[in-house]
Amino acid sequence: MLVADFFAHVTPEDLSFRFLSGMKEVSHERLQAITCADDPRSINFLAFSPADMLVAVGALAIDESLLRGEVALSVRADHKHLGVSWTLLSHIAHYAERRGLKSIESVESRANRAAIKLEREMGFEITQVPDDPTLVLVRRELQSGI
């Protein structure tokens, strides 16, 4: 219920960027996948305000080689531009480094300028996604074992 309520406070544009689709709300099945703890290669991160409000949700999906992870973030509309994304992405990157991953990446809509700017500032490299000019791949090499 907590995560469902959180996504009700994410803008439609941010939902579209997060899931790379035109969904207007997060389905029950997707909520179950986000909150399920059965897969040790799929880690979800929850960020709370000092008032115990869920303000951001992050995910790290580690590939079969255990060397690369895909990252995704969402922040409540009323908590954007407060450094939440920066802090959560930094935390996920450090977690990935401690797990021994060599890189983290995300596929972004080219229109998601705010996320791409943040990722560029955090040391991610931006490359084209073959066969889809609307998307870019952002990737950051990690120093494993930190």
Side-chain angles (χ1 to χ4, degrees), residues 65-139:
S65 73
L66 305 179
L67 298 175
R68 183 179 57 84
E70 184 173 349
V71 177
L73 302 177
S74 297
V75 176
R76 276 179 64 115
D78 56 354
H79 280 74
K80 292 176 72 170
H81 311 292
L82 299 175
V84 175
S85 294
W86 181 279
T87 302
L88 184 55
L89 185 53
S90 179
H91 176 75
I92 293 171
H94 288 298
Y95 176 88
E97 286 176 331
R98 288 189 308 275
R99 287 277 307 254
L101 275 66
K102 302 291 184 194
S103 66
I104 55 175
E105 61 187 41
S106 181
V107 175
E108 299 284 2
S109 166
R110 187 178 296 281
N112 194 353
R113 290 184 175 89
I116 295 168
K117 180 179 185 274
L118 170 76
E119 290 155 339
R120 184 174 276 132
E121 290 171 357
M122 293 186 74
F124 285 75
E125 293 184 16
I126 315 305
T127 59
Q128 305 300 319
V129 171
D131 303 323
D132 193 337
T134 67
L135 301 175
V136 294
L137 177 70
V138 297
R139 180 182 173 98

Side-chain angles (χ1 to χ4, degrees), residues 34-87:
I34 290 170
T35 57
C36 180
D38 291 346
D39 184 352
R41 292 184 299 124
S42 180
I43 301 96
N44 292 289
F45 300 83
L46 305 178
F48 291 88
S49 73
D52 291 329
M53 176 190 298
L54 180 58
V55 297
V57 173
L60 175 67
I62 301 171
D63 73 353
E64 290 182 12
S65 73
L66 305 179
L67 298 175
R68 183 179 57 84
E70 184 173 349
V71 177
L73 302 177
S74 297
V75 176
R76 276 179 64 115
D78 56 354
H79 280 74
K80 292 176 72 170
H81 311 292
L82 299 175
V84 175
S85 294
W86 181 279
T87 302

